[in-house]
Each structure stands twice: as C-alpha cells, then as structure tokens.
C-alpha cells in the first residue's frame, strides 16, 4: 500500500498532556482535550484541582518568531 504525504496533522490530547506535564509546573494529574482544530490547535488542560488552562499550538507563519512571541 502506498502512503500519502501529510500536510497537516493534529497532536493527540494525550501527547499534549505529556508535553504540558513535562514543561509546565502543574500538578501531575491533568486532563487534556482538543477544543478547536485549525490554524491554531486549541486544547483545554485541567488539573485535578479543577484549575483550567488553554494551550494553543500555533503554526509557524511568514513572520516566524515574531508571530510566535
């Protein structure tokens, strides 16, 4: 079977939860779900204490780092 090149992909909520747990100082037990898929993928991250955070994964744009900042 031939494969097709991928132009766009969406990270899994579990992978985002792992990334957030590794890179941010949040309690160990978090839940993550995809809220919006598009130019920016938007995820909701909740701690077991019910603190709520929105995590946006942005695409690199023509202005590059200036847009990401």
């Amino acid at each position: 079977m031939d494969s097709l090149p991928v132009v766009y992909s969406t990270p899994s909520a579990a992978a985002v939860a792992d990334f957030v747990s590794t890179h941010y100082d949040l309690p160990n037990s978090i839940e993550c779900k995809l809220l919006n898929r598009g130019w920016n993928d938007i995820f909701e991250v909740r701690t077991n204490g019910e603190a709520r955070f929105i995590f946006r994964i942005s695409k690199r744009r023509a202005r590059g780092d200036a847009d990401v900042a």
Side-chain angles (χ1 to χ4, degrees), residues 13-32 45-46 55:
V16 172
D18 287 343
F19 179 88
V20 169
S21 292
T22 300
H23 292 88
Y24 294 86
D25 186 21
L26 297 176
N28 290 338
S29 179
I30 65 170
E31 295 179 16
C32 182
V45 175
R46 286 188 182 262
F55 189 77

Side-chain angles (χ1 to χ4, degrees), residues 36-64:
N36 187 43
R37 178 180 179 252
W39 189 257
N40 297 297
D41 295 332
I42 311 291
F43 291 85
E44 176 186 51
V45 175
R46 286 188 182 262
T47 67
N48 59 349
E50 293 302 313
R52 180 177 183 245
F53 303 91
I54 301 300
F55 189 77
R56 181 179 77 169
I57 299 178
S58 179
K59 311 306 182 258
R60 185 161 300 278
R61 298 186 176 122
R63 289 182 48 209

Side-chain angles (χ1 to χ4, degrees), residues 3-10:
S3 63
L4 297 172
V6 174
V7 174
Y8 184 88
S9 62
T10 303

